[in-house]
Amino acid sequence: MTSGSPSNPFLAGSMISDPRFFVGRKAELDAITARMTGSPPVSVNVVGKGGIGRSSLLYHFVQTYEQRVQNPQRYVVSYFNLSSPLFHREEGFYLTIARELYNLPKVRSQKVLTKPFHVKNFERHTFSVVLGEWKRHGVLPVLCLDQFEALFHHPKEFNDGFFDNLSFLLNSNILMLAIASHRPLKYYQHRYKLSSNFFNLGDAINLGDLTEEEARELVSLPASLGGEAALTSEEQLLARQWGKNHPLLLQLAASVLWEAHQQNLDVQWAKEKFIQKSRGIPRTGFSWKFWPFSS
């Protein structure tokens, strides 16, 4: 492949960080926005299997929320991946989030938001006090917490006391959470024998396959950006047949077909590579819907 060859627009296996290549999920994004802007705000749990796009959805919401609300100055929204070692301890949880919020340009430009952070250390009580000051100024922090199940690997740090404090912040409308996990939070409560009321709060969004329209838009990238589609019509059809409407499988199918096209390889090569790379990816999904955690 020469240095002048076009780049592959299909991102199989990685979180989509470039908003230009994020496709669909309008209903889910609208649902999170509605719960954030509601009175009171309602936290959400985005539930889905590996490869269904939980991380990309949360990250895209962070990137675009200011265009989705009438009064973006009322919200500070940030993304965190809780599988990071920074979140292995409760104090690290508070400190990492505080540092990220403090360093956001939107926050640094407002003295009333940075002043509460001028404390010696960050722990449970301090974190609550600082965010309480934001509430006094009419600002709601929205934390998009990805890989939330990672917290349960450290039960001594993240126990009922930790979750009770989060529950207090949510009930007091001091904080909103958008939590991504493989299973509903109730599952983890039962598995790890937790009793906190935190697990009875909010709504759940079951993230399933893309719609037919969204799947067509994905395999036609970057045509939706005003460019020429990377795949021919026949290749787009093959990608849809192989990947169905599953986000990761579609990206993978389109990616190997693009690679084959660039290297003048046949469709059989692309198919064999798709089969090899798609092993282990869950094939079943379900349509998104909402239900209370308590049901």
Side-chain angles (χ1 to χ4, degrees), residues 2 5 29 31-32 38 74 82 122 151 169 182 206 267 284 287 291:
T2 66
S5 299
L29 291 164
I32 299 173
R74 289 187 54 200
L82 301 191
F122 260 92
L151 295 185
L169 295 175
H182 283 82
N206 281 340
V267 169
T284 57
S287 300
W291 73 86

Side-chain angles (χ1 to χ4, degrees), residues 13-55:
S14 60
M15 182 179 73
I16 299 172
S17 57
D18 188 335
R20 297 175 303 167
F21 295 100
F22 184 92
V23 171
R25 300 303 194 193
K26 182 180 184 302
E28 291 86 349
L29 291 164
D30 287 347
I32 299 173
T33 304
R35 279 142 183 81
M36 182 178 79
T37 57
S39 183
V42 177
S43 294
V44 295
N45 179 202
V46 179
V47 182
K49 297 181 179 181
I52 208 67
R54 301 181 317 271
S55 300

Side-chain angles (χ1 to χ4, degrees), residues 25-44 61 64-65 67-71 74-75 77 140 142 176-178 202-203 205 288 290:
R25 300 303 194 193
K26 182 180 184 302
E28 291 86 349
L29 291 164
D30 287 347
I32 299 173
T33 304
R35 279 142 183 81
M36 182 178 79
T37 57
S39 183
V42 177
S43 294
V44 295
F61 181 75
T64 60
Y65 78 93
Q67 290 79 56
R68 301 177 184 280
V69 297
Q70 294 181 345
N71 46 0
R74 289 187 54 200
Y75 307 97
V77 186
L140 177 70
V142 179
M176 175 188 163
L177 300 178
D203 284 339
I205 300 176
W288 68 275
F290 304 96

Side-chain angles (χ1 to χ4, degrees), residues 80 86-87 91-101:
F80 302 90
L86 296 172
F87 294 98
E91 187 174 348
F93 176 93
Y94 300 126
L95 181 59
T96 303
I97 290 175
R99 282 176 174 167
E100 172 68 17
L101 294 178

Side-chain angles (χ1 to χ4, degrees), residues 184-218:
L185 292 183
K186 272 290 189 182
Y187 166 85
Y188 301 104
Q189 180 186 26
H190 292 307
R191 178 175 178 180
Y192 295 99
K193 298 179 172 58
L194 295 162
S195 59
S196 174
N197 287 331
F198 169 81
F199 298 94
N200 296 322
L201 298 176
D203 284 339
I205 300 176
N206 281 340
L207 203 59
D209 288 347
L210 299 175
T211 66
E212 293 290 329
E213 181 180 353
E214 291 169 344
R216 283 194 295 270
E217 183 180 352
L218 192 157

